[in-house]
Amino acid sequence: MSLPHLPVLRKGVPYESLDKIEVKDHRTGEVLATVSQVNAGIIRRDISRIGDARAALKKFTCEQLIEISKKAGELFLTAELPFGDKGHTQTPQQYIETLSRTSGLPHVMVKMNMAKVNDALANMRTVLNGLTRGLDLSVIDIGFGEQAGCPVSYYPTTNCLGLVMPSNSPAVNSLWLPAIALKTPVIIKPGREEPWTPYRLIQAFIAAGAPKEAFGFYPTDHEGSGEVMKLSGRALIFGDANTVAQYKDNPKFECHGPGFSKIIVGDDEIERWPELIDLMALSISANGGRSCINASAIVVPKYGDEIADALAKKLGAFDPLPPTDENAKLSGFANAKMAEFIDSAIEAGLKEPGAEDVTAKYRNGPRKAELDGGVYLRPTIVRCDSFNHTLANKEYLCPYASVVQVPQSEILSKIGPSLVVTAITKDPKFIEEILDSDLIERLNIGMIPTGKISWNQPHEGNMFEFLYKRRSIEVA
Amino acid sequence: MTASEKLDAHLLETIQWHFSPETGCPFWLEWMSKNFDPKTEIKTFADMKKFPHFQDEWLRDLQPEVWVPAAYKGRPFNIFETGGTTGMPKQRIGWEDYKTDYSEFSTKISDEHFPKGGAWLMMGPTGPRRLRLAIEHLANVRGSSCYFIDLDPRFVKKLITNKQFDVAKQYMEHVADQAAVILKNRKVSGLFTTPKLLEALSEKLDIHAAGIRGVFCGGTTMLPQYVRFIVEEVLENKIGFYPTYGNTLMGLAASVPLTPEDNYSITYYAPQPRAVLRVVNPEKTEDTVDYDTWGRVELTTLTKEFFMPRFLERDEALRRHPRAPYEWDGVAEVRPFGAMENKIVEGVY
């Protein structure tokens, strides 16, 4: 049978370009599919005529779209869905295998990500309730109504949501899912190694009854990505600290950069540190350490050496395993150069005095490892003697964390912006100080892994407030 | 007489002209005194391999007078400069060649797309380029006049090299805005421009509704998907599209009309016998590559005004079979030499 081909989707209509790229197995180099690529001009044209895509979604009520989202979640998780435009289909198992082969994620992690995506869709009502703080969604359908006895009116800020997706973790797609229920078409530039998840989600939505016009899928080059960001009235930005810095003050963009998520421990709880090791290790290593909600620093007032050693002992034993192994904890790198870059960056940091790779003595080999042609990075725990060290507040696409010892009174002044902070303390004064901090996006108080997210609260930005603005209204 | 026989006959006449003291130019006469006499050595085009590659630095470093054939002595010449480089430009002098090239090209474009008497608009590099006079001549030959909007490609290259992409974009908008103003206020049916500027213009107004029926395009790489985009989406299959490949040193190579089998891959044919294009092995430039294979473009110009043997263009292309009405090889999907290995600055123009 022919190789699958993923076309561009222009308002849901397949378009086969003469320019195609091959997406390959990261270990063997076998071509798994071709993906059409379009130039920026096509994207400009389609976005300039996006109004009818929005009109197609407006024919549905939010309630109907919530139901469609729920059904789409089921289909994403369980159904055999169209896979490209050459007559291929894709079962959930085939999706898992293909994604694993191109991204390096082991099957067990792909399944976990699938479940997360499905949860986001299945819980769309809860998600929107959280985002809108309980707004009666007929207000969106009609344009105005009442909330808590007050007249309210919301208008859309954009005709489409632009997305230049990363390839690191499929669950990142759950960020855009509320846009459909909020009647906003999406213009998606998929990650080069991970076109599968957005394509499958789009097919699931369409099979569930969503209008195909609502979906733009545009594999493109750098210029095309720039146009997606520039011409969409609202866009999500994913990238490193430098990329995000360029956009963070522009209300048109919602930035998703490094999380620099952390676990901090108060003086009152530090004596029971051995009981915290499992939670810390899970926060560092879940999902292969690839998420912005993975902890990348452990900040403690005492026992820094002991904690670093215990974490290193626990995580250092992780070895690369075949992707089908249910115990696989490490993700392969689709781009081996990325692994080399990270490895050398850590090594360069370690050359500066004041840091030790505590994991080194517990590993069964070097940090960069190979298995069956795949490249992996074993976990790294670095004990830093201060927050000023280069490696103290870094985030890498692998299980990596620093352990830094700081007096409790200085913790909040040292940690810097943090997407998720798990604070292990019961000290009311310390909790009050933490609650007052403007550096923390999502706060867990108590024994909660940093990777745990709740559907009724946005952990990064608020998609409803991003896509809609309130106006005052009087109706005679 | 076959095309090959015509080429050999024209070659002999050209060699005779440039290497005879009564007609030739100082440069080639001096060159002959230090190397060999082409009048005896060159009998067919295959013998041209005896010449080394023409060094384009000669066009930059030497005074233009060294290129004046004795037969043209005393006649003021046009000085044309090559496209988008900075620093001292390369210059080619000329008298009538551009008129010959573009008069011939006029026979290859249809009256439906470029109605006789209908005005033209040129939006692209004018200034010291041959193209500016050439387009006006082309319009004039067809009984038409031409409006001009300039684009300075040297400035654009500088902007892109300096990563001033926003300014480059603004400049392109500035150029396209001016063209849109002309199209809104004047009746124009024929357009010469570059692909990127065409795209920018089409985002400002409906080109067909504005009266344009034919677009003559040249300047930068036009790979198949981009050509398809231009034909299907920018011109909406309603406007005649005439891509060309050319430069100051060659003149212009016209393309054959696209057929469905071409899959939007454009093949250009040199204006033989005045210019000859070969697609050569970059490692062994005497040899052409196989058909439908990539190689470096080599240009030989053979007119009484200008003789330029075996100049290696900074382009690569696919070698294509002859195709009617052309009885010689074509070059297809031209792109900057080394495009697959290096990032080449082409910019908006």
Side-chain angles (χ1 to χ4, degrees):
Chain A
M1 197 172 183
S2 64
L3 208 57
H5 164 253
L6 296 194
V8 175
L9 296 176
R10 307 177 67 181
K11 293 183 203 166
V13 178
Y15 175 89
E16 181 174 357
S17 170
L18 299 173
D19 287 342
K20 298 183 182 78
I21 58 158
E22 295 175 334
V23 190
K24 298 176 180 173
D25 183 310
H26 79 103
R27 292 176 302 167
T28 64
E30 182 190 343
V31 178
L32 301 182
T34 57
V35 180
S36 273
Q37 303 284 300
V38 286
N39 59 303
I42 284 188
I43 295 168
R44 279 197 290 273
R45 277 175 184 262
D46 289 359
I47 294 182
S48 72
R49 298 165 192 168
I50 197 71
D52 40 347
R54 183 171 179 81
L57 272 174
K58 279 187 76 177
K59 289 177 186 160
F60 295 78
T61 63
C62 286
E63 282 299 325
Q64 288 171 323
L65 292 169
I66 287 170
E67 285 306 310
I68 286 172
S69 298
K70 190 176 173 186
K71 194 171 170 198
E74 286 169 27
L75 294 171
F76 175 75
L77 203 58
T78 61
E80 184 166 344
L81 291 167
F83 185 53
D85 58 356
K86 304 289 179 203
H88 297 82
T89 55
Q90 185 189 57
T91 62
Q93 185 57 30
Q94 285 171 324
Y95 164 74
I96 291 165
E97 287 164 8
T98 310
L99 176 53
S100 173
R101 291 177 70 184
T102 61
S103 69
L105 280 176
H107 291 200
V108 63
M109 286 182 206
V110 178
K111 286 179 196 164
M112 190 183 74
N113 278 274
M114 281 179 91
K116 271 191 183 177
V117 168
N118 174 53
D119 278 354
L121 287 164
N123 294 294
M124 191 54 71
R125 193 181 308 280
T126 311
V127 170
L128 294 187
N129 193 52
L131 294 175
T132 63
R133 298 183 191 89
L135 180 73
D136 175 352
L137 293 176
S138 67
V139 170
I140 303 294
D141 297 330
I142 299 163
F144 62 93
E146 273 197 6
Q147 185 178 27
C150 292
V152 286
S153 173
Y154 286 94
Y155 64 93
T157 55
T158 178
N159 270 337
C160 64
L161 173 67
L163 300 135
V164 177
M165 300 302 294
S167 290
N168 60 327
S169 181
V172 75
N173 284 278
S174 54
L175 285 168
W176 61 263
L177 301 175
I180 299 303
L182 291 169
K183 307 187 181 189
T184 308
V186 288
I187 302 289
I188 301 173
K189 188 264 166 187
R192 193 180 166 93
E193 286 101 23
E194 216 284 80
W196 324 116
T197 307
Y199 193 85
R200 185 171 171 83
L201 276 166
I202 290 169
Q203 297 308 319
F205 264 114
I206 293 171
K212 66 179 184 197
E213 295 88 337
F215 301 96
F217 178 79
Y218 294 91
T220 183
D221 56 13
H222 185 70
E223 185 192 358
S225 300
E227 295 300 276
V228 170
M229 306 309 297
K230 196 175 91 185
L231 299 175
S232 300
R234 289 286 185 271
L236 301 191
I237 298 273
F238 300 88
D240 60 17
N242 289 336
T243 308
V244 164
Q246 296 170 45
Y247 298 100
K248 73 179 172 60
D249 295 324
N250 187 334
K252 198 179 131 166
F253 300 110
E254 187 178 287
C255 298
H256 296 263
F260 301 119
S261 297
K262 297 174 181 77
I263 292 178
I264 61 178
V265 184
D267 286 330
D268 60 322
E269 294 277 12
I270 196 63
E271 296 301 330
R272 65 177 188 105
W273 66 265
E275 297 165 40
L276 311 182
I277 294 301
D278 284 354
L279 176 91
M280 291 173 176
L282 177 66
S283 297
I284 293 164
S285 66
N287 201 33
R290 290 187 148 209
S291 307
C292 50
I293 51 179
N294 282 116
S296 54
I298 307 292
V299 191
V300 292
K302 277 165 83 176
Y303 304 117
D305 291 339
E306 291 83 350
I307 289 170
D309 191 70
L311 283 171
K313 197 169 183 180
K314 190 171 180 66
L315 296 174
F318 287 9
D319 280 325
L321 292 173
T324 49
D325 194 312
E326 287 295 311
N327 295 312
K329 298 278 198 307
L330 302 180
S331 178
F333 279 80
N335 182 354
K337 283 187 180 158
M338 174 66 82
E340 277 167 31
F341 169 78
I342 292 172
D343 191 38
S344 356
I346 295 173
E347 283 304 313
L350 288 168
K351 289 200 173 105
E352 289 177 29
E356 182 196 350
D357 179 355
V358 195
T359 7
K361 59 178 177 272
Y362 295 112
R363 284 195 205 109
N364 301 316
R367 183 181 300 111
K368 188 158 80 69
E370 288 193 24
L371 178 72
D372 300 334
V375 178
Y376 299 79
L377 288 178
R378 291 191 172 98
T380 301
I381 299 296
V382 176
R383 174 75 172 98
C384 293
D385 65 358
S386 96
F387 246 108
N388 295 327
H389 194 278
T390 308
L391 291 175
N393 202 12
K394 285 279 185 214
E395 181 174 303
Y396 296 110
L397 203 63
C398 60
Y400 170 90
S402 64
V403 177
V404 193
Q405 190 171 308
V406 180
Q408 178 182 300
S409 58
E410 294 175 23
I411 287 179
L412 291 174
S413 65
K414 299 284 187 191
I415 59 172
S418 307
L419 177 59
V420 183
V421 164
T422 286
I424 301 174
T425 178
K426 289 176 183 149
D427 174 355
K429 186 167 174 295
F430 190 31
I431 290 174
E432 189 182 338
E433 286 168 11
I434 295 168
L435 284 167
D436 281 347
S437 171
D438 63 352
L439 297 169
I440 302 167
E441 195 90 17
R442 177 184 168 85
L443 176 62
N444 299 319
I445 300 174
M447 293 289 282
I448 301 164
T450 56
K452 185 177 186 326
I453 52 171
S454 43
W455 299 114
N456 54 359
Q457 297 181 80
H459 75 273
E460 191 173 17
N462 181 321
M463 185 59 77
F464 173 65
E465 290 170 0
F466 191 51
L467 298 178
Y468 283 86
K469 272 190 101 169
R470 188 176 172 188
R471 65 154 73 84
S472 61
I473 189 166
E474 289 294 338
V475 181
Chain B
M1 201 188 260
T2 65
S4 170
E5 288 164 349
K6 276 185 206 162
L7 174 60
D8 286 343
H10 179 83
L11 172 68
L12 292 183
E13 195 182 322
T14 307
I15 293 282
Q16 194 64 36
W17 174 274
H18 284 285
F19 294 92
S20 299
E22 58 277 17
T23 47
C25 68
F27 177 87
W28 286 118
L29 293 173
E30 190 189 338
W31 185 91
M32 181 171 65
S33 69
K34 293 176 184 167
N35 295 278
F36 63 86
D37 183 354
K39 296 197 291 302
T40 54
E41 296 283 330
I42 306 293
K43 298 297 176 199
T44 68
F45 192 79
D47 296 331
M48 286 296 282
K49 289 173 192 167
K50 293 178 182 173
F51 275 104
H53 292 299
F54 184 87
Q55 300 300 305
D56 57 352
E57 284 74 19
W58 294 331
L59 298 173
R60 182 168 52 211
D61 299 341
L62 302 176
Q63 294 298 319
E65 286 74 16
V66 303
W67 303 102
V68 177
Y72 285 79
K73 216 167 176 185
R75 284 178 62 186
F77 46 80
N78 296 118
I79 304 170
F80 299 120
E81 296 184 355
T82 53
T85 49
T86 51
M88 180 62 202
K90 298 176 189 91
Q91 295 167 329
R92 172 192 173 173
I93 62 168
W95 291 265
E96 302 292 326
D97 270 357
Y98 75 89
K99 293 182 184 172
T100 309
D101 286 338
Y102 282 74
S103 293
E104 181 184 284
F105 182 68
S106 178
T107 65
K108 295 173 184 170
I109 59 179
S110 86
D111 291 352
E112 178 197 349
H113 298 134
F114 296 95
K116 296 268 173 65
W120 282 62
L121 169 65
M122 175 184 179
M123 169 172 58
T126 63
R129 279 157 213 96
R130 189 176 118 116
L131 196 58
R132 190 253 180 257
L133 290 181
I135 298 293
E136 188 157 41
H137 175 76
L138 174 63
N140 294 164
V141 163
R142 302 181 66 79
S144 307
S145 297
C146 187
Y147 299 94
F148 289 91
I149 305 294
D150 183 39
L151 173 122
D152 180 353
R154 295 173 189 171
F155 180 55
V156 174
K157 278 207 171 179
K158 207 174 259 185
L159 291 173
I160 290 174
T161 304
N162 294 339
K163 299 193 186 315
Q164 293 172 282
F165 302 114
D166 285 351
V167 184
K169 188 93 182 161
Q170 279 173 37
Y171 182 52
M172 186 168 75
E173 291 290 312
H174 165 66
V175 172
D177 280 341
Q178 295 173 73
V181 168
I182 294 287
L183 293 186
K184 281 176 190 165
N185 292 283
R186 295 289 181 267
K187 288 180 185 168
V188 177
S189 54
L191 175 66
F192 171 85
T193 191
T194 66
K196 289 279 184 192
L197 284 172
L198 175 62
E199 193 186 331
L201 181 63
S202 76
E203 287 168 9
K204 299 195 178 297
L205 82 177
D206 180 332
I207 299 175
H208 186 266
I212 298 296
R213 295 294 175 266
V215 171
F216 163 29
C217 226
T220 50
T221 308
M222 279 184 271
L223 297 182
Q225 173 60 25
Y226 195 68
V227 173
R228 176 187 175 196
F229 166 67
I230 295 281
V231 170
E232 290 181 351
E233 316 226 6
V234 175
L235 305 179
E236 299 178 85
N237 289 309
K238 293 192 288 196
I239 296 174
F241 183 51
Y242 294 82
T244 56
Y245 170 52
N247 55 41
T248 296
L249 303 181
M250 172 173 60
L252 86 169
S255 57
V256 282
L258 286 168
T259 64
E261 293 73 38
D262 291 327
N263 228 2
Y264 295 96
S265 172
I266 298 173
T267 305
Y268 306 98
Y269 290 88
Q272 233 173 265
R274 298 190 308 283
V276 180
L277 288 173
R278 294 167 74 231
V279 183
V280 301
N281 178 347
E283 306 299 325
K284 196 167 176 249
T285 55
E286 312 86 82
D287 297 343
T288 49
V289 295
D290 292 337
Y291 285 109
D292 301 315
T293 302
W294 290 97
R296 187 164 181 176
V297 178
E298 183 203 86
L299 166 68
T300 294
T301 302
L302 301 168
T303 73
K304 287 188 172 173
E305 296 179 8
F306 189 49
F307 174 70
M308 186 182 71
R310 302 188 65 210
F311 172 61
L312 285 173
E313 292 279 6
R314 289 176 189 164
D315 291 323
E316 60 190 13
L318 290 166
R319 182 186 175 201
R320 284 279 156 81
H321 286 282
R323 179 160 150 186
Y326 304 101
E327 296 173 51
W328 50 89
D329 286 355
V331 300
E333 299 188 25
V334 183
R335 66 189 185 195
F337 183 62
M340 295 306 280
E341 287 79 33
N342 309 304
K343 203 167 172 57
I344 309 287
V345 172
E346 278 202 286
V348 298
Y349 112 93

